[in-house]
Amino acid sequence: MRPERQRGEGSAGPIGPFSPPGTEAYESATGVFNLLAPARPSAALTATTPEEVIQAVEHARRVGAGLRTHSTGHAAAVAASLEGDLLVRTRMAERVTIDPVRRVARVPAGATWGEVVDAAAPYGLAAPHGSSAHVGAVGYLLRGGVSFYSRRHGLASNAVRSIELVTSEGRLRRVDQARDPEVLWALRGGGGGFGVVTAVEVGLFAARGAVAGAAFWSGEHADRLLALWLDWARGAPEEIMSSLRVMNFPQVPDVPEELRSGPVVCVDGAITHEGHERAASAMANDLLGPLRALAEPITDSWAAVAVPEVTRMHMDPPDPVPIFGDHMLLEDLDTTGARTLLDLVGPGSGSPLVAAGLRQLGGALARSHPQGGVLDHFDAPLLYAGSGAVLGDVTHGELAAHCARVRAGLADRDTGMTAPTFVESREQPQRHLTPTQVGCLDRLRGELDPDGIFSADIMPNATAREARVTSFRSSVDFDAERSS
């Protein structure tokens, strides 16, 4: 019997289907979006078929290892340490396909929202996508998903019709409302730990175009812009969602020079339409008219656009960056609350955050869905999110300290709940489920994954069970595993 080694230690050959550190395959599989949260498992694999996922699960069971998953790596900072575990990056080889009759998209794991939106648009259909074309669609859907269309259509996860996953037994399983409705309920917002998802079917909705864009004003107008925006948001029609952010753009060539001169206020949003562009434009003007009358924007891109353009207007960075931020679901802000927010993140606050502000919720987001997931709505009217990049003179510590000040300053407006897709780090307090829901989820996890192979992939506060501490058995012969 060989003495136990650290996982991944030894020659640079494969460990079963996995590749060890130092190999090109390992680096490709472990790539993440947030450079502050590098993924360093013992070994890693990019799976392109369900069969490869099954082989990975079987290998993890054979050697007694925990199995972790990601796709585009956008949620890396929320994940627990991967040290000692095996990682599967899901990037299925099949393409996104559209069924225009059923208004459904089949989305393989690893596909981005840009791929889904581009595939649906020729049919006059749209998906409940995120604000960035580069984010993985499946992970976003499983974690709830707040799209620019959610005030009309609800949380994105409620649109998921079916899910295909590989269970801890190494079996490909399809769940939908007719088969395993309880598992479908749990997967949509349940926080993970049920298996490796390889594909989903998500419902689409009719959209011939959109009125969308982003307008920017000098930060000197921040207080009056925020007051007008909050007043409008309280009575806005469900067809429109917008956000207001204070932005401190870094000195990078990709950002227009006129936006890099100091804090600016951005109001962006979107309204899809089924051919009634004039009505959509009128809704946008109800928002923008008073803001434009207050002061002329520095730039203003609001216009009638094709639906795929909506994924490109929020100015989310396309390439990996070192990010730290925080997020809360808030009660409504009165005049004092609005002033507090600007004192913390507005002009003159010394905020190191690149972007900090509010997104309106309400509408269908506030209503429970009869066939939704365990997370099917939010009670809060406002979502706060703020984040910065560790670039130049800005340090991780400075960002963390400022986020803590914002959280303390808004404590009396904080509902204590969070939206999973907006959580920026594992350090951040987060909760989106009730204790009763957590108990139901843990019962299902016990049935689907009794040995806890996937337990380290569960989001904080989504389980009352302790993550299984895994280690390779001392009897594992690494040389034999590499040659198998």
Side-chain angles (χ1 to χ4, degrees):
M1 180 181 295
R2 290 174 179 248
E4 183 176 2
R5 303 189 198 179
Q6 295 296 315
R7 281 182 261 183
E9 186 181 15
S11 64
I15 306 171
F18 293 85
S19 296
T23 62
E24 184 177 345
Y26 178 94
E27 295 304 319
S28 177
T30 58
V32 297
F33 182 77
N34 189 343
L35 298 180
L36 290 183
R40 287 292 175 261
S42 291
L45 161 72
T46 297
T48 60
T49 66
E51 291 72 25
E52 290 177 349
V53 175
I54 289 171
Q55 291 172 13
V57 171
E58 290 175 342
H59 178 81
R61 287 185 64 85
R62 186 165 63 249
V63 300
L67 192 65
R68 313 289 296 281
T69 64
H70 73 180
S71 57
T72 59
H74 278 77
V78 186
S81 170
L82 275 70
E83 184 179 356
D85 288 328
L86 300 171
L87 175 69
V88 173
R89 185 187 198 101
T90 49
R91 186 46 167 134
M92 300 294 105
E94 61 181 302
R95 294 179 178 274
V96 174
T97 56
I98 306 297
D99 184 336
V101 177
R102 294 172 57 224
R103 290 187 177 180
V104 166
R106 176 181 167 79
V107 183
T112 64
W113 274 123
E115 295 172 67
V116 179
V117 171
D118 289 345
Y123 300 98
L125 298 172
H129 60 77
S131 59
S132 170
H134 309 285
V135 169
V138 169
Y140 169 97
L141 288 166
L142 297 180
R143 296 168 69 213
V146 180
S147 80
F148 272 117
Y149 321 126
S150 285
R151 281 173 44 80
R152 182 179 181 185
H153 297 285
L155 275 177
S157 57
N158 291 334
V160 173
R161 306 280 183 83
S162 69
I163 297 174
E164 296 169 25
L165 75 158
V166 176
T167 66
S168 65
E169 298 173 340
R171 183 167 66 91
L172 183 62
R173 180 171 178 174
R174 175 188 168 93
V175 300
D176 54 29
Q177 288 291 354
R179 293 168 292 187
D180 294 324
E182 191 176 27
V183 177
L184 178 66
W185 170 84
L187 285 165
R188 294 178 293 167
F194 301 99
V196 182
V197 173
T198 59
V200 305
E201 285 190 338
V202 59
L204 307 173
F205 54 90
R208 295 289 175 184
V211 174
F216 294 85
W217 286 265
S218 168
E220 65 182 296
H221 306 296
D223 55 349
R224 289 176 291 171
L225 288 168
L226 178 57
L228 287 171
W229 183 85
L230 284 169
D231 186 59
W232 166 85
R234 294 182 185 104
E238 294 186 3
E239 288 83 357
I240 184 171
M241 175 184 277
S242 75
S243 69
L244 181 147
R245 295 173 291 163
V246 178
M247 307 194 74
N248 296 282
F249 285 107
Q251 298 295 317
V252 294
D254 292 343
V255 178
E257 185 176 354
E258 59 268 26
L259 299 181
R260 288 185 271 143
S261 58
V264 293
V265 177
C266 173
V267 174
D268 64 355
I271 316 153
T272 58
H273 61 81
E274 299 176 34
H276 307 293
E277 181 184 313
R278 183 174 297 180
S281 295
M283 288 184 203
N285 287 333
D286 286 342
L287 162 63
L288 297 165
L291 305 180
R292 289 167 174 160
L294 173 65
E296 182 179 355
I298 301 170
T299 64
D300 190 343
S301 66
W302 278 84
V305 297
V307 172
E309 291 302 311
V310 179
T311 64
R312 302 174 177 93
M313 70 181 194
H314 202 63
M315 302 185 73
D316 291 341
D319 300 316
V321 287
I323 303 170
F324 185 87
D326 200 2
H327 148 68
M328 294 170 275
L329 294 181
L330 301 178
E331 302 289 354
D332 195 12
L333 296 184
D334 56 14
T335 302
T336 301
R339 182 67 261 164
T340 299
L341 176 65
L342 290 181
D343 286 344
L344 291 163
V345 302
S349 66
S351 170
L353 303 176
V354 173
L358 305 172
R359 181 178 293 209
Q360 63 175 146
L361 302 178
L365 275 170
R367 297 191 289 269
S368 181
H369 192 286
Q371 291 187 326
V374 58
L375 174 65
D376 69 347
H377 73 289
F378 295 126
D379 291 326
L382 294 171
L383 183 155
Y384 165 80
S387 61
V390 180
L391 298 171
D393 296 332
V394 178
T395 66
H396 184 182
E398 183 182 4
L399 290 172
H402 195 83
C403 285
R405 285 197 293 273
V406 175
R407 177 170 286 275
L410 296 175
D412 61 339
R413 306 303 198 281
D414 183 5
T415 65
M417 305 299 284
T418 52
T421 53
F422 283 84
V423 174
E424 291 277 11
S425 75
R426 200 168 180 86
E427 304 168 33
Q428 174 190 321
Q430 51 183 299
R431 184 164 70 92
H432 69 282
L433 300 168
T434 67
T436 299
Q437 289 172 328
V438 169
C440 292
L441 294 168
D442 278 343
R443 176 180 58 78
L444 281 171
R445 289 188 184 103
E447 296 171 4
L448 290 171
D449 183 23
D451 296 324
I453 290 176
F454 306 117
S455 63
D457 252 356
I458 304 173
M459 293 178 61
N461 292 318
T463 180
R465 302 166 66 190
E466 290 188 13
R468 175 177 180 241
V469 179
T470 60
S471 63
F472 275 118
R473 297 192 305 267
S474 60
S475 59
V476 171
D477 186 325
F478 271 68
D479 293 333
E481 286 295 330
R482 290 185 174 116
S483 63
S484 62

